Amino acid sequence: MSHTTIKQPGDRLGLIDRLNSAASDSEPREYIFPFLWMHGEPQETIKEEIDAIYRANIREFCLESRTHEDFCRDKWWDDVGFILRYAKERGMRVWLLDDKFFPTGYANAYVNDHPELRRVELRMEYRDFAGPRTSTGMRRATLAEGETYVTVTAYKRDVDSGEITGEWIDLTETVKALAPGRETFYWDVPEGEWRIFYVIRTTRAPGRPEYIDMLSAESCKAMIYGVYQPHYDHFKEYFGNTFAGFFSDEPCFANDFGDYYSILGKIRMMIPYRDDICALIADRINRSGAEARLTSEEVRVRLPELFKTRAGGEQRMLRWAYMDVVSQLYRDNFSSLLGNWSREHGVQYIGHIIEDNNTHQRLGHGPGHYFRAIGPQDMAGIDIVLNQYIPGMTELYHSTVGGFGYDLDPEFFNYLLPALPSSLARLNPAMDGRAMCEIFGAFGWAEGVPSMKKMLDHMLAWGINHFVPHAFSPKFPDPDCPPHFYGRGNIAQAGAFGDLMRYMSRLSHVLSGGNYIADFAALYNAEAEWCGGRCETLQRTAKIIDRAHVAYDIVWEDILDEFDVRNGRTHVRGREYSALIVPESPYLPPELLAKLEKLSEAGLKVVVHGNTPPKNAENSAETNFKCYSDEQLPGFLLKNVSENGYIRLSKAAPLLKAYKKTDAVSGGNAELIFLCSDDDFRETRVTMTLSDDRPRRFYDAWDNAFYTPRQCGRELEVLLPPAGAIVIVTDDRPARAYDYRDGLSRPAGFECETVTVIAPDGTFRTADLRPGQDVTEQPGFENFHGTIRYEGTVNIAEGDRLLRISEVGEIVTALLDGFDLGTKLERDCAFDVSGFAPGNHRLTLNVVNNPAHMISDPFSAFMPISRSGLVGEIRLEGTRNE
């Protein structure tokens, strides 16, 4: 079944109209749907939490089911019915996380009552013997109840490496023929050292036997029987209106838990299996353009090669074909099943997998192939959790509370992870550009709203435009993956979080429109890892391209057949590219290589990022694609990029991110660029060369204000503070001058008269504190979280335009004579005071510090905790220095 295309409101708006509608706050907030933890609380408590979501400028939310003890029982149906009725009353929509246990795939324990649906796997044991020996007795591997031998194969071992060779003997029938109760069989061991592999079919997988089988269509239907259909039966009148759809959270093959690196050949790893897998593998190899032809029986005998490494193209092809087959079965049996069922019932199907450190292309916690697993959904999705993105950490592996014992690769999380969903959303017409990120969860209470904004800006700059903030919880303090955004009224940053949600909604709406012009395609090279051998992961290529400030999409083998090369450029699904970049891959399957060679012959530039071109996985035949090293690739990109696909800067700014769009509406010619800085410590000051000399304006979505920048023809001066962000848009209407932070400056002479500390519950007391102090370093305030209010006077002189604070920890709202100047998140921030007459004015600064000072949690140990209060100097700034 094809997708039902679900258009966003205002889809036909031009970029400028879309931006103006976002700035007016008139657009619906359908871009945000946070998790709401469900524990079976009283419905009045649930109502209070929904009201908190509404006050945070959010109109949708997703029910977290795993925390509710009575999922799909009477209390659950009663609670969800109440929530749907109340959401409808408030004009809100509700999503549902689609299983009782994590990850999605337990089908609410449906498999426990239907053991025939348990997942089938292969496990392997081996024994070593030396020959020659005649009629040697050998004890066969023990089978548990219900287990059977698939193959028993003896492989000769290489005396130098110890690895298995291509010489084998099939002992399966000998072992299977043993009479009941007989455990010993006899074999004439040939000369040399041999390893006997027992490959055993089992449904007795340890750890999670009740998990569904992604290779079985019938087993995957347990999700429908156990979760989806019961919800439709109870609440069908809400489907397609108040009830928006289902969210799958990190479904996977589940054959191996606790590891990012579940790659064929891993010691003692079981692998997914179904009884016709050998025939499917043989057929896949035979259709791949391979020279050798395999039968199902030949594949069966060689199944041990999926567990143990040996040299040779036959094994590379076997491993590639296995992964190719199982990743397609995952797509067809699971993702397509749930996507099609949802759309047939008027709702959407969304979610994400575990992508971490390239798990997206592996077994275990992965689905084998990101684009196949996510493609049948209505949005492309990822998550960023567990300290995976730390502002300022862009080069070196870093620690985390999670990660299965591994440090995290910042190249992956900074440069590849967000490019996966944004590329898929652009290349899958049915998704209509919808790219989603589950965000903020399990970073700990140290992740205050300023840290959230930095992470959000980073994702927006990759083209992510739908978000699932993680999470609202009716418990406080709830140790389950903090931070939580309301905390039963105990989180003083809740108001600023609501401001952040309005900012998120504005920019999501703005960046959902228009045409993202990418001149380059980068190949998703999961097949290189499947074939074995060392391969350069795609994130290295993604980092080089991104830091060159050129736009690109990630493409995958399945759509290469659709590439239409004309005049040296290729066209596919409404996109157009001047070159295809292949990350260094020692081996690729012949079918994929043939596609790349065909594109090259048609005139498309197909190049390799690396030192050597890929070889044919079957026969090691060499190819002659041109290679570019890390140092050479940027030059190739800049030589082949179009004017619209490139951000031209006066100097290197590797931590400056840009997301550029042009108008997609017929007759429109506006241009919009979202800029953000990943530099958490230094300002970024560069000159940008524009594509034309039309006037531009800056739009600050946080202040919801337009500014006039310094522009001379095509040259535009850009200044971003640390972790700053701005929108550049084609527009000639007058606006206030942009703050370039180079005006005449003098101390404000702030005379602070009182300092009041205010707890989240509103209780307050004056304190013997003063500006310049870190409040939580003072005796008696070590665990304080709330508002620190500074009240006093400043003297504004003629020409003063800005009141600047050099450091604040961590959110500040300024009032001058009771007039609200706004709320700022930056450590170094400024407020516009140009409308005030010279003279003395009453200044009130309400500073909200980080909640981690009050609440201790293990996640926060991996985040820097900001200082508290008015720490820096207050200055007044006038006109620009000349």
Side-chain angles (χ1 to χ4, degrees):
M1 176 185 172
S2 62
H3 281 269
T4 299
T5 300
I6 303 171
K7 293 284 187 181
Q8 295 291 357
D11 249 0
R12 302 310 304 161
L13 288 174
L15 285 176
I16 302 304
D17 290 336
R18 182 178 285 272
L19 187 149
N20 290 334
S21 66
S24 71
D25 285 332
S26 63
E27 280 299 317
R29 299 179 178 91
E30 73 279 354
Y31 303 98
I32 310 168
F33 35 101
F35 286 139
L36 171 59
W37 262 214
M38 298 278 288
H39 310 95
E41 286 88 359
Q43 290 176 358
E44 195 59 35
T45 301
I46 298 173
K47 179 180 177 181
E48 179 184 337
E49 205 70 23
I50 295 173
D51 289 342
I53 293 172
Y54 193 93
R55 288 195 303 273
N57 301 303
I58 302 169
R59 299 297 179 264
E60 302 186 14
F61 54 92
C62 183
L63 301 179
E64 166 61 275
S65 52
R66 66 178 174 82
T67 50
H68 198 294
E69 290 301 317
D70 295 306
F71 181 66
C72 287
R73 297 201 292 263
D74 289 346
K75 174 70 166 121
W76 172 262
W77 302 128
D78 188 44
D79 285 349
V80 174
F82 166 78
I83 289 168
L84 288 171
R85 290 189 299 274
Y86 189 60
K88 182 178 181 179
E89 178 184 322
R90 299 225 65 172
M92 304 175 78
R93 294 206 308 167
V94 180
W95 299 77
L96 174 65
L97 203 148
D98 66 353
D99 213 337
K100 172 65 181 91
F101 302 104
F102 168 86
T104 289
Y106 288 93
N108 192 30
Y110 186 88
V111 176
N112 281 346
D113 298 324
H114 299 83
E116 72 280 4
L117 300 179
R118 283 186 176 181
R119 70 185 190 277
V120 181
E121 294 180 343
L122 293 182
R123 67 179 183 89
M124 187 271 290
E125 299 181 16
Y126 61 86
R127 313 281 189 268
D128 294 319
F129 300 92
R133 293 178 181 272
T134 302
S135 191
T136 303
M138 299 177 181
R139 191 64 64 86
R140 69 177 182 176
T142 302
L143 298 179
E145 183 180 354
E147 292 185 333
T148 57
Y149 295 110
V150 175
T151 187
V152 181
T153 309
Y155 273 83
K156 192 172 185 179
R157 300 175 69 193
D158 182 83
V159 294
D160 294 321
S161 67
E163 298 295 339
I164 59 175
T165 69
E167 185 178 347
W168 72 80
I169 299 172
D170 185 2
L171 301 174
T172 309
E173 293 307 316
T174 300
V175 175
K176 283 185 174 180
L178 289 176
R182 294 281 306 272
E183 297 296 325
T184 303
F185 67 98
Y186 293 87
W187 178 45
D188 294 336
V189 183
E191 184 174 353
E193 296 190 27
W194 293 78
R195 176 164 287 175
I196 299 178
F197 292 94
Y198 300 88
V199 179
I200 299 165
R201 180 191 190 276
T202 184
T203 58
R204 302 174 63 87
R208 305 186 182 188
E210 67 275 27
Y211 198 83
I212 62 173
D213 187 344
M214 294 297 183
L215 303 193
S216 164
E218 286 304 311
S219 183
C220 289
K221 288 177 184 176
M223 289 295 302
I224 303 297
Y225 305 142
V227 178
Y228 283 57
Q229 189 65 43
H231 281 86
Y232 182 75
D233 292 341
H234 280 81
F235 305 117
K236 59 186 175 184
E237 69 270 24
Y238 295 102
F239 269 52
N241 45 80
T242 304
F243 186 82
F246 294 93
F247 184 112
S248 280
D249 192 32
E250 302 182 354
C252 58
F253 281 116
N255 61 292
D256 184 39
F257 285 93
D259 197 344
Y260 287 147
Y261 299 93
S262 300
I263 303 170
L264 289 176
K266 179 185 174 185
I267 296 173
R268 289 184 289 277
M269 182 177 75
M270 295 184 181
I271 64 173
Y273 179 73
R274 58 186 256 175
D275 292 336
D276 63 347
I277 196 81
C278 295
L280 295 173
I281 291 172
D283 177 67
R284 187 67 188 94
I285 292 174
N286 296 338
R287 289 187 292 106
S288 71
E291 298 172 0
R293 312 292 291 180
L294 288 179
T295 66
S296 176
E297 275 301 294
E298 288 170 325
V299 172
R300 179 190 62 78
V301 173
R302 296 176 59 176
L303 285 174
E305 296 180 37
L306 299 178
F307 295 89
K308 283 291 181 179
T309 302
R310 77 173 184 84
E314 299 91 345
Q315 189 211 36
R316 290 194 288 268
M317 291 296 292
L318 189 70
R319 291 188 172 199
W320 160 75
Y322 172 85
M323 290 298 299
D324 193 71
V325 165
V326 299
S327 60
Q328 292 191 56
L329 288 171
Y330 180 108
R331 175 194 62 201
D332 297 342
N333 295 334
F334 180 78
S335 302
S336 292
L337 169 74
L338 299 184
N340 290 339
W341 186 97
S342 296
R343 288 181 286 274
E344 288 166 0
H345 291 77
V347 297
Q348 295 186 52
Y349 172 60
I350 64 172
H352 73 98
I353 59 171
I354 290 185
E355 308 88 9
D356 311 353
N357 285 15
N358 289 301
T359 306
H360 57 85
Q361 63 191 35
R362 297 168 182 158
L363 300 173
H365 285 286
H369 192 290
Y370 176 85
F371 292 93
R372 290 175 181 170
I374 301 297
Q377 296 185 172
D378 291 293
M379 298 182 191
I382 56 169
D383 78 348
I384 188 80
V385 295
L386 290 167
N387 320 106
Q388 291 166 349
Y389 175 80
I390 304 293
M393 301 289 291
T394 60
E395 302 299 325
L396 303 177
Y397 276 65
H398 60 81
S399 58
T400 173
V401 71
F404 308 125
Y406 296 100
D407 285 348
L408 299 179
D409 178 1
E411 279 190 359
F412 174 79
F413 291 104
N414 280 271
Y415 297 101
L416 178 57
L417 176 63
L420 292 170
S422 58
S423 297
L424 176 57
R426 287 189 289 267
L427 283 160
N428 184 338
M431 289 180 172
D432 201 28
R434 294 186 294 271
M436 178 274 294
C437 179
E438 177 190 324
I439 197 166
F440 306 147
F443 280 77
W445 290 106
E447 184 197 26
V449 172
S451 293
M452 294 179 193
K453 182 178 181 294
K454 295 170 191 175
M455 192 184 310
L456 169 62
D457 285 337
H458 179 85
M459 291 298 167
L460 288 164
W462 279 101
I464 308 297
N465 51 27
H466 287 71
F467 294 91
V468 179
H470 184 321
F472 281 84
S473 174
K475 285 185 179 180
F476 182 79
D478 189 343
D480 191 348
C481 298
H484 304 118
F485 309 128
Y486 172 59
R488 307 287 294 139
N490 289 283
I491 304 304
Q493 293 193 356
F497 177 79
D499 294 337
L500 182 68
M501 294 300 97
R502 184 181 286 112
Y503 173 86
M504 179 186 282
S505 177
R506 287 171 180 155
L507 284 179
S508 295
H509 185 62
V510 168
L511 298 178
S512 292
N515 182 29
Y516 176 79
I517 298 176
D519 283 295
F520 301 99
L523 182 67
Y524 182 74
N525 67 331
E527 291 84 359
E529 184 174 86
W530 298 350
C531 288
R534 189 201 69 79
C535 67
E536 187 65 48
T537 48
L538 179 54
Q539 61 254 36
R540 182 66 183 172
T541 301
K543 179 179 180 180
I544 297 292
I545 300 174
D546 179 70
R547 289 194 166 189
H549 299 301
V550 300
Y552 76 101
D553 288 323
I554 299 172
V555 299
W556 58 106
E557 182 189 1
D558 299 351
I559 68 169
L560 293 185
D561 290 331
E562 302 176 37
F563 275 35
D564 177 17
V565 181
R566 288 176 265 143
N567 300 318
R569 296 178 70 86
T570 189
H571 304 256
V572 59
R573 300 185 178 184
R575 315 289 296 148
E576 184 179 342
Y577 310 112
S578 66
L580 175 60
I581 302 164
V582 181
E584 189 168 38
S585 307
Y587 297 100
L588 289 175
E591 182 178 71
L592 176 52
L593 283 178
K595 293 179 181 180
L596 298 177
E597 289 166 345
K598 181 180 178 182
L599 292 171
S600 180
E601 291 167 359
L604 180 66
K605 295 179 179 68
V606 180
V607 302
V608 173
H609 171 215
N611 297 314
T612 56
K615 295 180 180 180
N616 186 307
E618 182 186 28
N619 55 28
S620 297
E622 296 186 357
T623 58
N624 59 0
F625 297 110
K626 189 170 180 58
C627 296
Y628 291 89
S629 66
D630 286 3
E631 294 74 25
Q632 295 169 327
L633 184 59
F636 168 82
L637 297 171
L638 297 183
K639 183 179 178 181
N640 291 278
V641 72
S642 67
E643 190 73 51
N644 276 330
Y646 173 45
I647 304 296
R648 191 183 303 275
L649 304 175
S650 59
K651 62 180 179 180
L655 297 183
L656 180 67
K657 296 200 60 59
Y659 189 74
K660 182 177 181 180
K661 287 196 168 187
T662 58
D663 218 321
V665 176
S666 176
N669 61 353
E671 179 182 82
L672 183 146
I673 304 171
F674 176 68
L675 288 181
C676 81
S677 172
D678 278 349
D679 194 328
D680 200 38
F681 308 106
R682 292 164 292 273
E683 69 176 24
T684 300
R685 190 185 291 268
V686 294
T687 299
M688 177 186 296
T689 301
L690 302 167
S691 58
D692 57 59
D693 62 359
R694 289 177 295 169
R696 301 307 202 267
R697 283 202 300 172
F698 287 167
Y699 173 62
D700 184 334
W702 180 265
D703 287 339
N704 198 28
F706 290 89
Y707 298 92
T708 299
R710 295 175 189 161
Q711 180 182 351
C712 181
R714 294 179 61 191
E715 303 299 307
L716 180 75
E717 189 173 339
V718 173
L719 170 69
L720 290 181
I726 202 75
V727 173
I728 304 170
V729 63
T730 307
D731 200 351
D732 61 359
R733 285 173 288 181
R736 288 178 290 176
Y738 184 68
D739 174 20
Y740 281 94
R741 297 178 176 246
D742 56 3
L744 298 169
S745 179
R746 63 181 176 84
F750 177 54
E751 297 182 8
C752 184
E753 299 165 3
T754 60
V755 178
T756 307
V757 292
I758 307 168
D761 64 3
T763 59
F764 64 92
R765 59 189 172 95
T766 57
D768 185 18
L769 299 168
R770 63 182 183 274
Q773 291 179 326
D774 179 347
V775 169
T776 45
E777 283 190 347
Q778 309 311 309
F781 294 93
E782 296 88 348
N783 301 318
F784 175 77
H785 165 62
T787 301
I788 307 116
R789 176 173 294 163
Y790 303 85
E791 297 178 278
T793 59
V794 292
N795 184 273
I796 294 178
E798 188 74 35
D800 284 341
R801 189 169 68 89
L802 297 172
L803 184 144
R804 192 178 303 283
I805 306 174
S806 63
E807 183 178 356
V808 65
E810 116 176 293
I811 301 168
V812 58
T813 301
L815 297 96
L816 200 61
D817 297 337
F819 179 82
D820 189 348
L821 300 179
T823 297
K824 302 288 185 178
L825 305 183
E826 301 90 351
R827 286 192 301 269
D828 180 355
C829 58
F831 298 90
D832 187 349
V833 295
S834 58
F836 289 84
N840 290 328
H841 295 270
R842 188 74 176 173
L843 177 64
T844 302
L845 298 173
N846 291 320
V847 180
V848 181
N849 73 337
N850 190 285
H853 293 290
M854 175 179 69
I855 315 168
S856 178
D857 69 274
F859 302 95
S860 291
F862 298 86
M863 290 281 289
I865 303 173
S866 64
R867 300 204 285 174
S868 300
L870 181 57
V871 183
E873 182 184 12
I874 304 178
R875 301 181 68 85
L876 285 164
E877 186 172 292
T879 57
R880 177 185 179 188
N881 288 321
E882 299 295 342

